[in-house]
Amino acid sequence: MKGTKHLIAFSLLVPVLFYALIGCSSPGPAVPTTTDPVTVPTQTDPTATPAVPSETVPVIKPTEPSGKPVEPTVPAEPTAPVTPTVPTEPTVPDTPSEPVEEVPPAPEVPVPPVTYGVGTHGQIVKDIQTRLTVFGYKLSIDGDFGLITQWAVRDFQNRNNLPVTGVADAMTLEKLSLEPTDSTRFPGPSSELPLTKGARGDEVLELQVYLNRFNYRLVLDGIFGNATLWALKDFQKRNGIPVTGVADGATYQKLALEPTSKTRYSGPPAATSLSASKAETFVNNKGLSSPSEYLIWVSTPTTHLYIFQGSAGSWKLIKDMRCTVGKPSTPTIKGTFSVIGKGGYFTVPDHEEWICRYYTQFYGNFLIHSVVYDWDLNLVDGRLGMYLSKGCVRVSLANAKFIYDNMPYGTTVYVN
């Protein structure tokens, strides 16, 4: 029995020794354990397509019979793969650049020619006026390109065979730089035929210009109307010549003289242009009323604005101010209106560098406002007692502010 046991043990040992000699493990049966399963590597088929690594599947913990999960062995983190070094590209020799075609410069934008017309101010205007006086024109050297300067430029252009525009352009300035000749010198006011009411044109404009030298303040529109007729008759009377209302040779001879205290028209002072009693009688007889205690009357024939206080039938004059109203082509509207709006200032249309201050609106675009200033409050056009606005009523700055401050909305404004 004992020998039998040794024989059996020897028979079991022989296979083990045999496999040990040839480098293999014993093909004995695997012994199951409760530890984590051992992953058995499989042989790789060299012809097979490599498997794409799948997403990590969460490990489901096996449970012991007691229901308590068995903690798995945490595998070591895999070593991050080494990024292969990307070989740098060989340096490419610089390719000779193609010659760049030279781009011609953009053409210069032509600069508009500089011109000087109505509304221009400054030294250049004084220079133009000075040269015009050399050619015989009677002008004030004030640096203000107004309507009289415009008339002189127009006449000068006509005598020099230039386009008659009333604007001093390059051609006009070139001609002004020359010396006067008999054909280019202004000889003084004249007309081939006597001028009478109803006449129109440059000769009437010239007559108005020379009457304005004597302070008649006519609108320079080239129309021989009632205002020009009245001024002409008054001029003839002051100069001791027949009062005909016709601009004839004798009238032109007097117009060529310099104004004197006797021949200059002074006009009635603002405060006495219409007596207080006459103004009050006029508005009270008209039966004018007002929702406020004030009433405004704009008299375009006398270019005066009157302010009354009181009530219908018992108005008392408290203010009489000189004003400028619309010219014949853009007259001030007539009728009975009321104050409907106010403002501190507005810019003059077509002249954004000019402003009028303290406006009081009484109908549509018709306003009562100050004379014209620039943004620095330098006076641009302070003329009063004339017909030259686009329909609005101009008064002095102080009077414009008085109306703005004291005339309530709804106050009646009567214009005749």
Side-chain angles (χ1 to χ4, degrees):
M1 185 69 177
K2 184 176 180 180
T4 302
K5 289 182 180 178
H6 287 291
L7 181 60
I8 293 170
F10 179 79
S11 63
L12 294 172
L13 182 61
V14 170
V16 173
L17 293 174
F18 174 77
Y19 282 105
L21 289 173
I22 64 175
C24 298
S25 300
S26 173
V31 180
T33 65
T34 58
T35 60
D36 288 340
V38 177
T39 303
V40 179
T42 58
Q43 294 182 358
T44 304
D45 185 356
T47 63
T49 304
V52 179
S54 61
E55 296 180 358
T56 304
V57 180
V59 177
I60 301 175
K61 297 180 180 180
T63 60
E64 292 181 346
S66 63
K68 182 178 181 181
V70 179
E71 293 294 333
T73 302
V74 180
E77 294 184 1
T79 305
V82 179
T83 305
T85 304
V86 179
T88 58
E89 295 183 1
T91 304
V92 179
D94 293 338
T95 304
S97 58
E98 297 181 1
V100 180
E101 184 178 354
E102 185 176 351
V103 179
E108 294 184 0
V109 178
V111 179
V114 178
T115 59
Y116 306 94
V118 172
T120 307
H121 304 274
Q123 184 59 47
I124 183 61
V125 179
K126 288 185 178 181
D127 295 340
I128 292 171
Q129 292 169 332
T130 299
R131 290 304 301 170
L132 286 168
T133 60
V134 172
F135 283 80
Y137 297 95
K138 304 293 186 180
L139 299 176
S140 298
I141 313 301
D142 56 7
D144 180 9
F145 200 123
L147 296 177
I148 294 180
T149 302
Q150 182 190 49
W151 162 80
V153 169
R154 285 176 57 86
D155 187 83
F156 177 83
Q157 290 169 333
N158 182 54
R159 294 177 185 278
N160 285 269
N161 299 316
L162 298 173
V164 179
T165 62
V167 175
D169 53 16
M171 292 186 295
T172 304
L173 296 178
E174 182 180 354
K175 292 289 186 180
L176 279 171
S177 66
L178 305 178
E179 290 302 314
T181 64
D182 291 341
S183 61
T184 60
R185 182 182 288 106
F186 179 66
S190 63
S191 175
E192 295 181 359
L193 297 173
L195 297 178
T196 59
K197 183 181 177 182
R200 293 170 177 260
D202 286 344
E203 291 184 334
V204 177
L205 183 64
E206 179 182 290
L207 172 64
Q208 292 170 332
V209 166
Y210 271 80
L211 285 170
N212 281 353
R213 290 182 62 239
F214 291 81
N215 202 36
Y216 285 99
R217 296 168 289 184
L218 296 170
V219 177
L220 301 181
D221 56 6
I223 301 173
F224 198 137
N226 289 329
T228 303
L229 176 62
W230 175 87
L232 181 60
K233 287 183 175 181
D234 186 82
F235 175 81
Q236 291 171 331
K237 179 179 180 181
R238 290 174 181 274
N239 283 271
I241 57 179
V243 180
T244 61
V246 176
D248 51 17
T251 303
Y252 280 113
Q253 288 179 5
K254 294 293 184 180
L255 284 170
L257 303 176
E258 290 299 318
T260 66
S261 58
K262 178 182 177 181
T263 60
R264 183 190 300 275
Y265 172 72
S266 59
T272 60
S273 59
L274 191 63
S275 66
S277 61
K278 287 184 178 180
E280 292 165 0
T281 299
F282 176 82
V283 296
N284 287 323
N285 288 343
K286 292 286 292 184
L288 297 173
S289 62
S290 177
S292 75
E293 62 176 321
Y294 296 101
L295 169 69
I296 299 174
W297 170 28
V298 179
S299 172
T300 61
T302 62
T303 60
H304 273 260
L305 185 151
Y306 305 92
I307 297 178
F308 303 86
Q309 189 173 18
S311 59
S314 59
W315 294 112
K316 296 296 182 182
L317 182 66
I318 61 171
K319 280 278 186 179
D320 176 5
M321 53 190 74
R322 197 74 163 167
C323 67
T324 282
V325 295
K327 56 188 175 184
S329 58
T330 55
T332 302
I333 193 170
K334 310 298 190 299
T336 303
F337 312 98
S338 60
V339 174
I340 58 175
K342 293 185 179 185
Y345 74 93
F346 67 91
T347 56
V348 178
D350 303 326
H351 291 281
E352 294 185 357
E353 69 277 16
W354 299 349
I355 61 172
C356 294
R357 304 187 65 194
Y358 301 115
Y359 68 83
T360 299
Q361 181 183 15
F362 62 90
Y363 179 80
N365 291 328
F366 291 90
L367 316 172
I368 302 170
H369 58 74
S370 76
V371 290
V372 185
Y373 292 85
D374 64 17
W375 285 99
D376 295 325
L377 300 185
N378 297 311
L379 184 63
V380 172
D381 188 346
R383 292 174 292 176
L384 294 173
M386 302 186 70
Y387 301 87
L388 55 82
S389 78
K390 293 185 177 181
C392 289
V393 180
R394 300 180 190 177
V395 294
S396 69
L397 179 62
N399 286 333
K401 190 174 187 305
F402 176 87
I403 296 171
Y404 174 86
D405 288 339
N406 296 284
M407 299 297 106
Y409 280 80
T411 296
T412 296
V413 179
Y414 174 69
V415 185
N416 70 341

